[in-house]
Amino acid sequence: MKLQVLFWEISFQFGTGMQGVIERRRSYLQLMRKLTLRKGSFTVEELAQVAGIPRSTARDWISRLADEGCLTVMKHPHGRAPSRYAAVSAIPRTACRKIFTAVDGDMVEIVHECLSSACAAFCGRHHAKSHPSIRVIREGTILREFIRMGTFDNTVGLWPEPAVAITGVWREGDEIVQRIRSLGGPAHSLTGMMGRAEGVLKVDTVRHEHSTEGCIRTQALEHIIIGIDNTDSLEEGATFALAISLLDYLSELHGTFPIGHHIAMLWQDLPEKTAGNSCSAIELAVVPDRVELIRKAAVRFISDESISDCWGIAIHKGFIIPDSLHGFGIKARTAQVSCDEARACARDCGIYTAGGTGIIGSLAAIGLAHEPADQMITPAF
C-alpha cells in the first residue's frame, strides 16, 4: 500500500495522467527502484499491481528499461515461476541506438539513431556549427549527416564554441572511421555510449587536457533508395502504407539498416489518379554483398502485395541524387510525364525499374526524397 501511495504521489508531481513519455519513464523507474530496495527484485505482475496498470503496460516498460540498461534480469522464468527484475540505474546505458555509415563516391553518410530527439538535435546543431560544409538532416530521433572524406582542424569548447565536432572521416578497407572531438556530455557519450550502439564495430578514445577524441569504426554500407507508386485502386489500398510495409519487411533481412520513409505529392490534374496522386520512397543502408538480394526481395514484395496491376518500382544505389533525376521529380509535380520519359531518365541515371506506369511516380519519389517534407506533402499548384 505504501508503494501505491508513493506511485500516486509521483504521478501527481507530473500532472494528471502523467503526460509525456519522459515523465512516465521517470515515475515507473522510480517505482521499480523502490520495489528493488524493498524486495530485492520484482515481477511484471508485482509492478502492474502496485502501479495499477495492465500487465501488458508493465511488461512493455520493463522491456524498454531493460533495453536501456536500467534493469537487469535477476531470475529467468522457470516452470511457473516468472522472470524477476531489479533496477540498476536511472541513467540509460546508452542514448545511441544505432550508428551506421554508407558511402557514395568520396561522400559518407553517417546515420545516428538516438533515444532522444533532443540529443539528436544537439549533435546536429554542434556538428553543423563546427563544420559548415557538412549537410545535416534530422527527422525526429534520426540524425543524418553527409560529409566528404578528409581530416578537419575543428576545435571544441564552451559556448559559443561547439561542444562536439567531427575532425575526420576516412575509409580503411571495408570500414569507415569517423574521428570525433568533444567535451562535457558529448565526451561521456563518446567514451561510454557510442560503442554500445548497433552498427559500431569499435571505439578507441584518447583523453586530452581539454577534450576527448575518439575514432568510431563502422562498416562501409551501400545506400539504397526505393520508390514505389500505383499500388492502390479507387476502392482500396494506399501506396504510403505499402511502402511502410516494404521498409519493415526489408528491415528484417540480415544486413539491412532502415533509415526512413518519404511521401511526395505529384501533379494533381492527372486524369487517371486514384486519390491524391502521391508516391513514396524508402531509404535503407545495406551490406554490399546483399544489395541484389534486397532488389529481388523488394520487387517480389511489391508485385505480390500491390492491388493494382500498374504498380511500379525504382531502385537507386547511392544517396547522391543526380540533377536530371531531381529535375524529373520536380516536373512530375507540375505536369504529366510519360513512361518513355521515365525510362529514359532511369537509363541515364543507372536506376533499375520494374512494373507498369507506376515507374513514373517511383522515379519521381527517388528524385524528391531529400526535399523538405513540408513542401513535398503539399501539391505544387
Side-chain angles (χ1 to χ4, degrees), residues 150-172:
T151 57
F152 325 106
D153 187 23
N154 296 329
T155 60
V156 297
L158 299 178
W159 187 260
E161 295 294 324
V164 57
I166 297 176
T167 59
V169 178
W170 61 88
R171 182 167 188 163
E172 293 183 4

Side-chain angles (χ1 to χ4, degrees), residues 201-230:
L201 303 175
K202 185 180 180 182
V203 176
D204 295 312
T205 59
V206 177
R207 296 182 184 273
H208 301 293
E209 183 178 359
H210 300 296
S211 65
T212 298
E213 195 164 59
C215 288
I216 304 168
R217 292 181 175 271
T218 50
Q219 187 171 2
L221 302 174
E222 184 92 53
H223 186 104
I224 295 178
I225 309 177
I226 303 175
I228 67 170
D229 197 20
N230 280 16

Side-chain angles (χ1 to χ4, degrees), residues 99-132:
I99 301 175
F100 54 94
T101 50
V103 180
D104 193 346
D106 64 346
M107 295 291 294
V108 174
E109 175 189 21
I110 303 167
V111 182
H112 191 153
E113 182 181 350
C114 191
L115 279 173
S116 162
S117 59
C119 289
F122 180 93
C123 289
R125 175 70 178 85
H126 284 252
H127 284 180
K129 183 178 178 63
S130 67
H131 194 83

Side-chain angles (χ1 to χ4, degrees), residues 117-255:
S117 59
C119 289
F122 180 93
C123 289
R125 175 70 178 85
H126 284 252
H127 284 180
K129 183 178 178 63
S130 67
H131 194 83
S133 65
I134 190 172
R135 184 187 180 197
V136 177
I137 299 176
R138 186 178 70 86
E139 300 167 345
T141 59
I142 303 291
L143 179 66
R144 302 173 63 185
E145 300 176 311
F146 302 87
I147 187 169
R148 195 173 303 278
M149 293 187 199
T151 57
F152 325 106
D153 187 23
N154 296 329
T155 60
V156 297
L158 299 178
W159 187 260
E161 295 294 324
V164 57
I166 297 176
T167 59
V169 178
W170 61 88
R171 182 167 188 163
E172 293 183 4
D174 294 333
E175 296 180 1
I176 293 296
V177 182
Q178 52 174 311
R179 189 175 62 205
I180 295 179
R181 185 176 297 154
S182 57
L183 53 76
H188 170 70
S189 175
L190 179 61
T191 57
M193 292 187 171
M194 289 186 174
R196 296 187 174 97
E198 181 183 350
V200 174
L201 303 175
K202 185 180 180 182
V203 176
D204 295 312
T205 59
V206 177
R207 296 182 184 273
H208 301 293
E209 183 178 359
H210 300 296
S211 65
T212 298
E213 195 164 59
C215 288
I216 304 168
R217 292 181 175 271
T218 50
Q219 187 171 2
L221 302 174
E222 184 92 53
H223 186 104
I224 295 178
I225 309 177
I226 303 175
I228 67 170
D229 197 20
N230 280 16
T231 65
D232 58 353
S233 70
L234 290 170
E235 295 77 23
E236 58 181 326
T239 294
F240 83 87
L242 191 57
I244 294 172
S245 297
L246 175 63
L247 183 60
D248 287 342
Y249 168 68
L250 295 178
S251 299
E252 293 298 319
L253 301 181
H254 178 69

